[in-house]
């Protein structure tokens, strides 16, 4: 009975989201349900509740700062024209539009996310996808589907937590997670191509898909096996970028010289170097958690990068104040919803509700193996973090494996991969993606026109914009980029599309877990 009651906050969340209730109200309803259960069935001392939420506070502040910094950086890159130059260069560097999409999905996004974590991969990817000509809703979905290396995100602290709580070897867990990620890469890549171009043209781009996923997977597996876990996603993303650009270069010998974009990359280069320096300083000081990790981690460096971006890009005029006001307007509701879901995940953990869910499922016997990915997915979806999800369920998954006589390493690996994938489709990530896609401009009229894309209604256009977003283009001064005013992206549609893709992946992972004994 307690296990059934423990599922009520989860069911309330999923039911309200399926009914197209706004994520903010769904989070409030779920949190209210969890609070009632805490006061009645899962009674927990107030001191424990307060301590858990206080322990979560640095994470909440860090996420809020990252969301603001990411939105602000995207706004500045658009206002200064840097994003348009990067998009034009990327489009010109690839011999096919589908290859350019694969380069962003399996190269740029894994690299950025593995280095920084917290959804920064979509901050970089979605504006580039818009510059390729994808409609806002499509860009949001495709960008989210690129979050496939989250087990190695932010240099793999989530995997480390999973290994420690699941009592398995860290490097062995990295190898198992890499093996389990092969079908995840293929499923998400195929879905990304289908969303970007339509199923028929996606089938024609199967070669591009296999090249990108094969390069990423082989590199991630090799790095986990022979080097170590933390750098697997970073090196996998870089290898994929290098291979796809090399293939394009070999196919385009004699093509025209592309415009230099070194300065447009300056903010990203500054962010990467700063993060590496911050990690080195924290490691040397032996600091693993607390407020110093917020200042020297992705949050602090992202805010500093955004503040320096106008100078790094030699922007004309004071663009920062206007961009900051715009970013603040777009930031507060996303952050409020994210905070509510984070509080909900913490409450489920400290009251023992998450443990009740896992233990009840484990009582099903071998059939539990089919449900194991969904346990991880619940944690990832609610916490919006692989680390948080593994803190909720890794120990329970390991205990269930021992009770079933199943290898704990493999079941903890299933937990790690499924939780990571679901965190990429969490409400917080979807809201961030929708904001970025809605407010990132499409390609300039002077940019090379992308291949036509089928719209959701079946029509085609030069930028593939249809369905939920319509663009009204206005002429800007010669020194500025062309701007767009778009209808807000339907976050419910984006969430359903991403979750549908993830559902296929979880089903496949469940079958693999059942057969891999």
């Amino acid at each position: 009975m307690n296990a059934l009651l423990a599922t009520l906050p989860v069911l309330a969340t999923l039911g309200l989201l399926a009914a197209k209730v706004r994520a903010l109200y769904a989070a409030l309803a779920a949190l209210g349900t969890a609070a009632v259960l805490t006061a009645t069935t899962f009674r927990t001392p107030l001191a424990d509740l307060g301590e858990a939420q206080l322990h979560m506070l640095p994470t909440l502040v860090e996420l809020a700062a990252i969301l603001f910094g990411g939105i602000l950086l995207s706004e500045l890159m658009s206002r200064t024209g840097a994003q348009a130059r990067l998009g034009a260069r990327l489009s010109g560097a690839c011999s096919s539009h589908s290859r350019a999409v694969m380069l962003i999905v399996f190269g740029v996004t894994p690299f950025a996310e593995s280095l920084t974590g917290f959804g920064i991969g979509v901050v970089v990817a979605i504006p580039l996808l818009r510059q390729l000509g994808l409609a806002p809703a499509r860009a949001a979905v495709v960008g989210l589907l690129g979050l496939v290396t989250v087990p190695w995100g932010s240099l793999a602290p989530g995997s480390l937590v999973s290994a420690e709580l699941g009592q398995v070897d860290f490097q062995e867990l990295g190898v198992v997670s890499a093996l389990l990620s092969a079908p995840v890469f293929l499923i998400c890549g195929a879905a990304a191509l289908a969303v970007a171009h339509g199923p028929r043209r996606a089938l024609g781009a199967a070669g591009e898909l296999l090249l990108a996923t094969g390069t990423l997977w082989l590199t991630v597996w090799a790095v986990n096996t022979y080097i170590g876990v933390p750098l697997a996603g970073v090196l996998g993303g870089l290898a994929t970028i290098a291979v796809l650009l090399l293939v394009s270069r070999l196919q385009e010998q004699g093509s025209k010289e592309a415009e230099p974009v070194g300065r447009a990359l300056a903010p990203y280069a500054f962010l990467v170097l700063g993060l590496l320096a911050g990690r080195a300083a924290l490691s040397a000081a032996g600091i693993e958690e607390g407020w110093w990790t917020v200042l020297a981690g992705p949050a602090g460096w992202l805010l500093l990068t955004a503040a320096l971006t106008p100078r790094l890009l030699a922007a004309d005029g004071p663009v920062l104040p206007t961009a900051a006001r715009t970013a603040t307007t777009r930031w507060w509701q996303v952050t409020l919803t994210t905070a509510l879901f984070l509080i909900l995940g913490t409450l489920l953990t400290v009251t023992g509700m998450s443990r009740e869910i896992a233990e009840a499922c484990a009582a099903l016997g071998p059939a539990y193996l089919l449900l194991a990915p969904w346990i991880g997915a619940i944690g990832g979806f609610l916490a919006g973090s692989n680390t948080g999800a593994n803190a909720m369920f890794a120990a329970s998954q390991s205990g269930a494996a021992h009770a079933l006589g199943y290898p704990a390493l493999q079941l903890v690996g299933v937990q790690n991969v499924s939780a990571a994938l679901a965190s990429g489709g969490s409400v917080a990530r979807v809201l961030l993606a929708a904001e970025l896609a809605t407010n990132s401009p499409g390609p300039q009229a002077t940019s090379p026109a992308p291949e036509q894309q089928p719209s959701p209604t079946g029509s085609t256009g030069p930028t593939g914009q249809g369905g939920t977003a319509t663009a009204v283009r206005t002429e800007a001064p010669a020194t500025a980029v062309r701007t767009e005013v778009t209808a807000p992206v339907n976050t419910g549609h984006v969430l359903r599309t991403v979750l549908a893709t993830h559902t296929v992946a979880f089903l496949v992972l469940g079958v693999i877990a059942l057969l891999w004994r």
Side-chain angles (χ1 to χ4, degrees):
M1 184 64 180
N2 282 354
L4 184 61
L5 291 173
T7 63
L8 290 180
V10 178
L11 295 177
T13 301
L14 297 178
L16 290 173
L17 291 174
K20 300 183 179 181
V21 174
R22 290 178 62 185
L24 176 61
Y25 301 141
L28 286 170
L31 188 58
T33 303
V36 170
L37 290 172
T38 301
T40 55
T41 305
F42 298 92
R43 293 178 179 172
T44 306
L46 288 176
D48 292 347
L49 294 174
E51 182 181 354
Q53 298 298 342
L54 189 63
H55 184 73
M56 177 269 299
L57 185 59
T59 301
L60 177 58
V61 173
E62 184 172 25
L63 287 174
I66 286 173
L67 289 170
F68 180 75
I71 293 172
L72 177 58
L73 180 59
S74 175
E75 182 73 16
L76 289 167
M77 293 290 286
S78 295
R79 286 175 179 268
T80 57
Q83 207 69 66
R85 293 194 296 275
L86 289 175
R89 175 63 180 271
L90 182 61
S91 180
C94 291
S95 56
S96 71
H97 195 257
S98 59
R99 185 176 299 156
V101 171
M102 287 291 93
L103 189 148
I104 294 173
V105 171
F106 288 122
V108 173
T109 307
F111 170 75
E113 186 64 22
S114 298
L115 187 65
T116 62
F118 299 98
I120 299 301
V122 298
V123 173
V124 179
I126 288 177
L128 292 175
L129 290 167
R130 290 286 291 120
Q131 285 298 314
L132 289 183
L134 268 66
R138 295 177 186 268
V141 172
V142 173
L144 289 167
L145 291 176
L147 294 174
V148 293
T149 58
V150 175
W152 301 274
S154 194
L155 301 183
S159 293
L160 180 60
V161 168
S162 185
E164 290 178 347
L165 296 180
Q167 297 182 339
V168 298
D169 182 78
F170 182 37
Q171 186 163 4
E172 290 180 357
L173 178 62
V175 175
V176 169
S177 298
L179 293 173
L180 290 169
S181 292
V184 172
F185 291 177
L186 283 171
I187 291 166
C188 290
L193 280 176
V195 170
H197 300 304
R200 182 176 299 178
R201 286 188 48 213
L203 186 62
E208 310 284 0
L209 172 64
L210 293 175
L211 177 63
T213 57
T215 302
L216 179 62
W217 177 80
L218 184 61
T219 306
V220 167
W221 171 82
V223 174
N224 276 283
T225 302
Y226 299 110
I227 299 176
V229 179
L231 289 175
V234 174
L235 296 179
L238 285 176
T240 305
I241 293 172
V243 168
L244 293 181
L245 289 179
L246 177 61
V247 170
S248 291
R249 188 174 184 85
L250 292 175
Q251 292 182 353
E252 296 181 351
Q253 293 181 2
S255 61
K256 65 179 182 179
E257 195 68 26
E259 178 187 358
V261 291
R263 185 140 207 170
L265 288 170
Y268 295 136
F270 181 83
L271 176 61
V272 168
L273 293 175
L275 282 167
L276 293 175
R279 290 184 189 280
L282 291 174
S283 178
I287 300 174
E288 297 182 356
E289 59 181 14
W291 293 105
W292 281 111
T293 63
V294 177
L295 291 174
W301 281 102
L302 192 54
L303 290 173
L304 180 60
T305 300
L308 295 178
T309 290
R311 184 178 296 274
L312 292 171
L313 296 176
D316 296 329
V319 297
L320 184 58
T322 305
R325 286 193 294 270
T326 302
T328 301
T329 302
R330 293 159 49 192
W331 164 79
W332 72 268
Q333 188 164 314
V334 175
T335 301
L336 178 58
T337 306
T338 300
L340 291 174
F341 275 107
L342 187 60
I343 294 170
L344 174 62
T346 304
L347 193 60
L348 292 178
T349 302
V350 71
T351 58
M353 290 187 223
S354 60
R355 184 183 64 254
E356 287 283 351
I357 295 172
E359 290 177 353
C361 291
L364 297 174
Y368 171 79
L369 299 175
L370 291 171
L371 295 178
W374 298 94
I375 299 296
I378 289 172
F381 181 78
L382 292 177
S385 158
N386 190 35
T387 303
N390 286 333
M392 291 171 67
F393 290 120
S396 299
Q397 296 270 33
S398 179
H402 289 300
L404 295 171
Y406 187 86
L409 175 64
Q410 293 166 203
L411 201 56
V412 174
V414 170
Q415 158 70 29
N416 192 34
V417 172
S418 59
L421 184 62
S423 71
S426 65
V427 173
R429 298 288 185 271
V430 170
L431 291 173
L432 175 61
E435 283 293 331
L436 292 170
T438 299
N439 294 281
S440 296
Q444 295 176 271
T446 56
S447 299
E451 301 173 20
Q452 287 190 338
Q453 305 162 35
S455 73
T457 59
S459 61
T460 60
T463 60
Q465 296 186 7
T468 60
T470 57
V472 180
R473 297 176 179 269
T474 58
E475 291 295 336
T479 56
V481 296
R482 187 183 297 264
T483 60
E484 289 181 323
V485 178
T486 61
V489 168
N490 185 332
T491 54
H493 168 74
V494 173
L495 181 61
R496 289 190 294 273
T497 304
V498 173
L499 291 184
T501 303
H502 289 178
T503 296
V504 177
F506 298 144
L507 291 172
V508 171
L509 288 173
V511 172
I512 291 174
L514 186 62
L515 298 177
W516 192 11
R517 298 179 67 90

